[in-house]
Amino acid sequence: MADFRQRVGSFSVIFGMFWLISMVMKVNGIGANWGTQCSHPLSPDIVVRLLRENGIQKVKLFDADYTTLHALGNTGIEVMVGIPNDMLSTLASSSKAADRWVSENVTEHVNKNKVNIRYVAVGNEPFLATYNGSFLKTTFPALQNIQNALVKARLSNRVKVTVPSNADVYASPSTMPSGGDFRDDIHGYMTQIVKFLSDNGAPFTVNIYPFISLYTDANFPVEYAFFDGNATPLTDGGTSYFNMFDANYDTLVWALQKNGFANMPIIVGEIGWPTDGDINANVKYAQRFNQGFMTRTANGKGTPMRPGPIDAYLFSLIDEDQKSIQPGSFERHWGIFTFDGQPKYQFNLGTTNLGTLVKAKGLTYEERQWCVLKPSIKLDDSRLAPSVSYACARADCTSLGYGSSCGDLDARGNISYAYNSYYQINDQDEEACKFEGLGAITKSDPSRDTCRFPVMIVPYESGSDQVFHLRGIRSCLVSVIILFLTMF
Ligand SMILES: *[C@@H]1O[C@H](CO)[C@@H](O)[C@H](O)[C@H]1NC(C)=O
Ligand SMILES: *[C@@H]1O[C@H](CO)[C@@H](O)[C@H](O)[C@H]1NC(C)=O
Ligand SMILES: *[C@@H]1O[C@H](CO)[C@@H](O)[C@H](O)[C@H]1NC(C)=O
């Protein structure tokens, strides 16, 4: 009997190990950031289907939108749900507010709807140098309050807190990874946070962007941005670094190690390359960078300091035409898919038999018609410049700049592009193509070469009519009752 039990025991140990290994492998599948700053967002159901059909097993959100989380229910997809920076001060000053946040945005979804929430991202790059320390006081207390709320909700074992940080929280004065440490001005603060994460078995999340280095530094060696580049390697002691990602990631590993957290798990919260809005933001480079990253991820090859698999979320799933372009015009073009879920380039995630991305299904487009500059208008018309400024301020002209996908348009093409963008963003409202008589609607597609004049999708709110109907029925009932009451 004892023998048998022992055998069952070792069977379950082996089984348990298999399970553990398969969990670890699952956790390390590729993730994607799902942002929603779009004038015409895809319906969450369409995006969830897109994720599943592409074998994307993890998703990172920037807030806790109810319909989005609901659509992720019962899918098994791992979710990192986000708390926007503007909520940090409330959550920092009130544990009640944190309890409510967890209850409404985590517990409810995990219990009622089987959403596989695994992380809460407290803030989004709150220590960015450009924020001038605005969120320094609030991030840590908010993190503590959310962690406590998760403990109270008995979820702290499966849901971990983290703070997605920009790589500018650490630096290396010597530019060698081994010189890495947290930024001087926030050193004490960072070690406090990292200790808290470590005490609670939570990971450090960092966003790494070789593209931004290239964008901001004219002397940055282009080849060093890529995984297959032939850049002159950086030699750090006995280690050679052939690409910026490895060197940057290892700078963080050194910073953590130096402060006593050598084994802290690291998540790459954002990694990617934009396809438009700058001379270096194009399909060719994006394909090269993302495929390079994916291939090494699929091979489970880490960095010199951390040779294991890398846990990462691609930035981004789809383009977002309402993102702020203060950092640059490229901001609206990070998607591996266009705003309507169409793959931009050949990209093998290693997750499907197809060997490339699967496009979104079930879309409804607006009519195939465009708004352009009326051919009879002369280019010296003084109304043109203000009309273009008006359109571009409200729509999206980020593809018009030098080296961008529509950078080769002539003056007429430029104006038409601006008009069309405004017209489409306004759902082809006739009024939105007037421009004091300068605009005209056409059925012939002005797109050419790389320059695409998009037609938008029908906004999904009006397409998904269930909620709408319910509301309609309810208000109808109320008016009948009121009518009935007033009659007697
Ligand atoms: C839940 O998250 C949403 C979206 O981020 C937010 O608007 C809402 O205030 C949160 N709920 C609570 C109770 O804080
Ligand atoms: C940070 O400070 C700079 C210079 O003082 C200022 O221009 C900028 O608006 C500030 N940014 C924020 C987010 O407060
Ligand atoms: C088109 O617009 C872009 C961006 O506003 C500008 O840089 C470019 O010079 C314009 N081209 C022409 C031919 O007007």
Side-chain angles (χ1 to χ4, degrees):
M1 256 335 242
D3 196 359
F4 177 71
R5 246 184 240 154
Q6 242 168 24
R7 219 174 289 159
V8 171
S10 54
F11 263 129
S12 56
V13 166
I14 290 168
F15 201 78
M17 275 169 62
F18 269 118
W19 179 80
L20 244 169
I21 289 166
S22 70
M23 282 301 285
V24 169
M25 301 216 338
K26 223 177 169 174
V27 166
N28 282 306
I30 192 68
N33 283 271
W34 175 0
T36 52
Q37 295 181 55
C38 308
S39 68
H40 289 68
L42 290 166
S43 89
D45 289 333
I46 290 179
V47 177
V48 168
R49 183 168 174 195
L50 183 69
L51 291 168
R52 300 181 81 170
E53 292 190 345
N54 283 287
I56 297 171
Q57 299 152 348
K58 303 185 294 187
V59 73
K60 178 164 163 282
L61 309 173
F62 293 91
D63 58 14
D65 176 62
Y66 181 86
T67 17
T68 302
L69 283 166
H70 193 266
L72 286 161
N74 293 303
T75 62
I77 295 174
E78 277 193 25
V79 180
M80 183 185 289
V81 60
I83 297 176
N85 291 338
D86 61 12
M87 289 193 77
L88 292 177
S89 68
T90 307
L91 299 173
S93 59
S94 158
S95 61
K96 284 258 157 50
D99 292 346
R100 278 196 301 272
W101 192 93
V102 165
S103 160
E104 184 175 303
N105 289 328
V106 181
T107 319
E108 174 92 7
H109 291 287
V110 170
N111 291 346
K112 291 226 178 101
N113 190 23
K114 301 270 173 294
V115 184
N116 188 13
I117 299 179
R118 303 305 292 270
Y119 301 100
V120 175
V122 181
N124 185 36
E125 303 188 343
F127 314 126
L128 213 57
T130 54
Y131 290 142
N132 301 337
S134 307
F135 303 112
L136 274 184
K137 287 205 175 65
T138 50
T139 304
F140 189 36
L143 182 71
Q144 289 170 305
N145 282 343
I146 291 292
Q147 170 65 25
N148 289 339
L150 288 169
V151 171
K152 278 188 238 169
R154 297 175 190 281
L155 286 171
S156 58
N157 281 334
R158 64 177 288 169
V159 184
K160 298 295 177 188
V161 287
T162 190
V163 182
S165 298
N166 187 275
D168 79 348
V169 298
Y170 51 87
S172 168
S174 65
T175 73
M176 294 296 168
S178 58
D181 204 347
F182 295 115
R183 215 166 74 206
D184 273 345
D185 61 316
I186 55 171
H187 192 277
Y189 197 75
M190 286 308 295
T191 45
Q192 215 182 1
I193 286 188
V194 172
K195 177 168 191 314
F196 184 79
L197 294 175
S198 169
D199 289 347
N200 292 292
F204 190 96
T205 301
V206 65
N207 302 336
I208 298 178
Y209 280 116
F211 170 79
I212 306 281
S213 301
L214 186 56
Y215 180 75
T216 51
D217 177 3
N219 295 318
F220 188 90
V222 178
E223 288 295 306
Y224 193 54
F226 298 99
F227 295 93
D228 59 349
N230 52 5
T232 317
L234 175 73
T235 310
D236 185 7
T239 311
S240 293
Y241 285 95
F242 295 91
N243 67 78
M244 186 210 139
F245 174 84
D246 284 0
N248 192 293
Y249 187 99
D250 278 2
T251 307
L252 171 61
V253 175
W254 277 101
L256 290 169
Q257 187 167 309
K258 225 167 268 177
N259 291 287
F261 306 99
N263 297 319
M264 174 123 228
I266 296 173
I267 292 179
V268 178
E270 298 182 9
I271 182 148
W273 198 283
T275 53
D276 206 357
D278 181 64
I279 185 85
N280 291 314
N282 53 56
V283 164
K284 197 173 129 232
Y285 278 0
Q287 203 262 356
R288 185 177 172 202
F289 181 83
N290 282 335
Q291 191 63 66
F293 182 75
M294 258 337 287
T295 304
R296 69 132 55 187
T297 302
N299 293 340
K301 182 176 175 288
T303 64
M305 288 290 285
R306 290 264 178 108
I310 291 172
D311 196 359
Y313 295 79
L314 293 171
F315 193 89
S316 181
L317 192 64
I318 42 183
D319 281 348
E320 296 170 81
D321 65 354
Q322 303 219 307
K323 283 195 81 173
S324 160
I325 51 169
Q326 199 247 325
S329 290
F330 56 83
E331 272 297 329
R332 295 177 177 170
H333 304 280
W334 288 100
I336 56 174
F337 293 100
T338 52
F339 76 97
D340 52 344
Q342 307 304 300
K344 292 182 183 172
Y345 44 86
Q346 169 81 25
F347 188 17
N348 188 357
L349 294 177
T351 49
T352 64
N353 294 332
L354 217 64
T356 191
L357 298 174
V358 180
K359 67 181 181 184
K361 299 189 178 72
L363 308 168
T364 318
Y365 286 91
E366 301 280 359
E367 258 180 81
R368 283 182 60 77
Q369 57 189 16
W370 295 263
C371 177
V372 293
L373 174 63
K374 210 179 267 178
S376 59
I377 305 293
K378 297 246 161 48
L379 280 174
D380 59 5
D381 193 309
S382 65
R383 294 169 300 172
L384 287 175
S387 70
V388 168
S389 306
Y390 181 90
C392 287
R394 287 156 185 82
D396 181 22
C397 295
T398 54
S399 300
L400 288 179
Y402 169 71
S404 301
S405 64
C406 299
D408 289 338
L409 292 181
D410 60 11
R412 278 192 177 278
N414 255 8
I415 297 163
S416 292
Y417 188 93
Y419 284 6
N420 182 61
S421 180
Y422 183 73
Y423 173 64
Q424 304 295 346
I425 273 181
N426 286 291
D427 301 322
Q428 302 189 347
D429 180 355
E430 238 173 80
E431 288 296 315
C433 187
K434 287 248 159 79
F435 296 106
E436 301 179 47
L438 303 172
I441 292 166
T442 173
K443 296 271 180 193
S444 105
D445 187 350
S447 305
R448 61 185 176 80
D449 303 329
T450 56
C451 181
R452 186 165 165 254
F453 281 59
V455 167
M456 293 285 162
I457 52 174
V458 175
Y460 78 87
E461 284 90 352
S462 55
S464 74
D465 42 20
Q466 269 167 353
V467 179
F468 192 74
H469 272 169
L470 263 176
R471 239 182 253 150
I473 290 166
R474 212 178 294 152
S475 59
C476 185
L477 262 172
V478 169
S479 16
V480 166
I481 291 168
I482 290 171
L483 193 76
F484 194 78
L485 287 176
T486 46
M487 276 170 71
F488 295 94

